[in-house]
Structures are given as C-alpha cells and as structure tokens.
Amino acid sequence: MKNKSERLEAIRTLLTAEQVGSQEELLQKLVALGFDLTQATLSRDLKLLKVMKAPGNDGRYVYVMPNSVPSAPDAGEAFSINGLVSLEFSGNLAVAKTRPGFANGIASIIDEHLPQSIIGTIAGDDTILMVLKEGVTQIEVKNTLLKIIPAF
Amino acid sequence: MKNKSERLEAIRTLLTAEQVGSQEELLQKLVALGFDLTQATLSRDLKLLKVMKAPGNDGRYVYVMPNSVPSAPDAGEAFSINGLVSLEFSGNLAVAKTRPGFANGIASIIDEHLPQSIIGTIAGDDTILMVLKEGVTQIEVKNTLLKIIPAF
DNA sequence: AACCCTATTGTATAAATATGCATAGATGAA
DNA sequence: TTCATCTATGCATATTTATACAATAGGGTT
C-alpha cells in the first residue's frame, strides 16, 4: 500500500514519544491519526521495526524502539515535516502530543488555520491544549486538523 | 520458595547463552535443569528481570536480557522529592500547584505514569493543568496520582 | 498457640500477540 | 489484454503471555 512507510514512521515517532503498553493501544493512537489497519498488520509492522516489548519500572509493559541505532540503511531523510505525534479528545478539549519542542510551532499553525472551530490553544514543550468552540464536534476538528497538518 | 534466586540466575544465564523464542521453550530448558515451575511463574520472573521479547534478524523472536545495566541499585521507586502543593478538580480538568519550578518535572512524571487516565498535561512554572480522559473520574485520578506522587 | 502479614506459586483463564490462508491491488512479461 | 507474481492486508484463529484468584508456607507478634 502507498502509506505503509508513513505508517511505520508514525509508529516510530509514537513509540519514541509515548509509553505504549499494548498493540491494541498503539492501534487506537494510529487510528486516531487517521491510519486504517488492524492488529494483525501492526504485529507485522512491529516485527519489521524490531520493536521490543519490555517490562517497565512501574510494573507495566512498554514497547520500545531498538534503542537509537538507525540500523544503518536509514540514512537521513526521516524527521522531515511533522512533529505531531498523537491527538486525543476529552469533552470540549483536544490534546495533541508533538515531538519535544514542536508544540509551539504547531500550535501557531493551528491558531492560524482553525479559528472557526478552536477558540484557543496553549502549548508547552511537547503538548498542545486546544479548546473547541461550542457546538463544534470532535470529528469535525479532527478532520480539519488532518487536512491542515498532512504528512501523518 | 528457597530456590527462586537460583532460578532467576539460571534464567539470566540461559538467556545470555542461548536464543530462546518463547516462554514455553525456556520453561523446557529450566525443567531440564531440574527446576520445577510453570509458565505463569516464568512470566512473572521475566517481568521481574525486565527481559524483553525482541524480533530477531532471522524473522524469529528472541528473549533478551536488559543489556548490561544490572538495574539492581534501583533504590526506592517512589519519587521522594516532592514539589506538589495542591490538587483540585473541575470537570474533566485537574489543576495541581507545585513549588516554583517543579511543574514541568512533575508533569513529565505524570505524563509517563498516567496515560490511562490523563490524556495530556501542560505545565507552567508552578501549575500543572491535566486533561482527564473521557469516562475517568476525579477520584480515580486523585488516587492514582497520590500513589505515584505520595505525601502532600 | 492463634493470628496476621508477606512472598511465592499453581490453576484457570483472560488478554495479547503471531500467523496460515485468502484476497486484492500493482507490476511486468508475453 | 491476460497470466503470473509479488506485496500488503484482513480475517479467523492458534499460540503465547499475563494475571485474578486461591492456596500454601514462612516469619513475626501477641
């Protein structure tokens, strides 16, 4: 498929930025980012990426990328456009996770492009909080966001 | 049991010496060495030892010891250092006050440990804003937080 | 002793993960 | 075009792994 490599890149990014404890959980996040796949495919992707499931210090399990080591053939390329890592909603709020340091930049893009559905954003280092305008649905915002910030 | 540590040691040794692909397989080897246990116990042992299951280059899976890092001198788990001052809720939001400068540090601890109940945090200098996941109650969050960050 | 607490384990089962098989689209050769 | 082939994927399921629960054993304490 045309978006397999994008998906792999998204997985890479997600796993380095967040603590994910199961494939099902990772699947949710990927779906939230607009990818369409099943657990079976994810299992294969993780095998491909050599992602390991490791017990964490806190008693939970975490998926970890093969530490650093771009495995050689990687070369540059990678981290181009997008710092966006995940997107979640809760009521009239949306929280986006970004790569460290990207939050402010992305937030200002959002501010610029979504005045109709978002009344304001606040960004930290790797997190953006968005307050949705009254009456606007989560779906609407998600779709608009994905249109503006492509390259997922 | 009196031989748990022996068993753990045996597991350590086995895994560094051989390519083991499943707990069942490892179980066989341990039994062959005279140990008496079940897969359930083995699963717990592996968790304890922080053994990871990793996809190998040959398309198979291998259990690997947390390379180097004995992780033994772990000392206490809890974050004894405590900058947390107060915690209040409002709808799907929680606001924590911290000692000046502590907000970001504590927020990142929260990010790391409460992905199930908090979808994101934003921290200033002495204030943390947390957005609760939909469906999660204030009480739940408060209890979990207190477990992770004890002693107000 | 009687009681309580903690650690360890097995059993049974839930949860999570891997994969055999079938299918669909893509590519290319004849 | 038509056939062969290859990749990517879903579905269903086998396999594997984690865990809730109950039982047991070993300390301590009173």
Side-chain angles (χ1 to χ4, degrees), chain A residues 2-152:
Chain A
K2 70 174 186 306
N3 53 344
K4 179 177 182 182
S5 52
E6 282 178 40
R7 193 182 61 225
L8 293 181
E9 179 53 29
I11 292 173
R12 229 193 298 275
T13 310
L14 262 167
L15 291 186
T16 48
E18 300 197 35
Q19 306 266 109
V20 182
S22 75
Q23 294 185 6
E24 209 58 46
E25 189 185 335
L26 179 54
L27 185 56
Q28 303 300 325
K29 293 178 188 292
L30 286 169
V31 169
L33 288 179
F35 289 98
D36 180 22
L37 74 168
T38 63
Q39 176 268 322
T41 298
L42 188 46
S43 172
R44 294 176 182 120
D45 285 352
L46 293 182
K47 186 171 185 176
L48 211 67
L49 291 171
K50 306 240 191 304
V51 172
M52 301 173 292
K53 187 185 188 183
N57 294 321
D58 57 357
R60 280 189 272 142
Y61 291 82
V62 191
Y63 278 91
V64 298
M65 288 298 298
N67 224 359
S68 55
V69 189
S71 73
D74 201 341
E77 199 264 313
F79 311 80
S80 48
I81 329 97
N82 203 320
L84 232 186
V85 165
S86 73
L87 178 62
E88 238 180 307
F89 292 86
S90 178
N92 61 331
L93 299 175
V95 173
K97 295 290 191 161
T98 71
R99 307 175 82 88
F102 278 60
N104 277 281
I106 294 182
S108 89
I109 293 177
I110 293 173
D111 277 341
E112 221 171 273
H113 290 83
L114 281 98
Q116 341 75 351
S117 39
I118 290 181
I119 65 176
T121 66
I122 295 198
D125 180 58
D126 64 358
T127 302
I128 304 170
L129 173 68
M130 292 165 260
V131 180
L132 314 200
K133 184 166 280 190
E134 284 187 343
V136 174
T137 70
Q138 299 180 352
I139 303 291
E140 286 173 317
V141 171
K142 179 175 158 190
N143 290 338
T144 316
L145 267 181
L146 292 180
K147 233 178 292 172
I148 296 183
I149 308 185
F152 270 82

Side-chain angles (χ1 to χ4, degrees), chain B residues 71-101:
Chain B
S71 83
D74 200 341
E77 271 288 333
F79 303 83
S80 41
I81 335 95
N82 194 337
L84 232 185
V85 166
S86 73
L87 178 63
E88 238 180 305
F89 292 86
S90 176
N92 62 334
L93 299 176
V95 172
K97 295 290 191 163
T98 72
R99 296 174 44 187

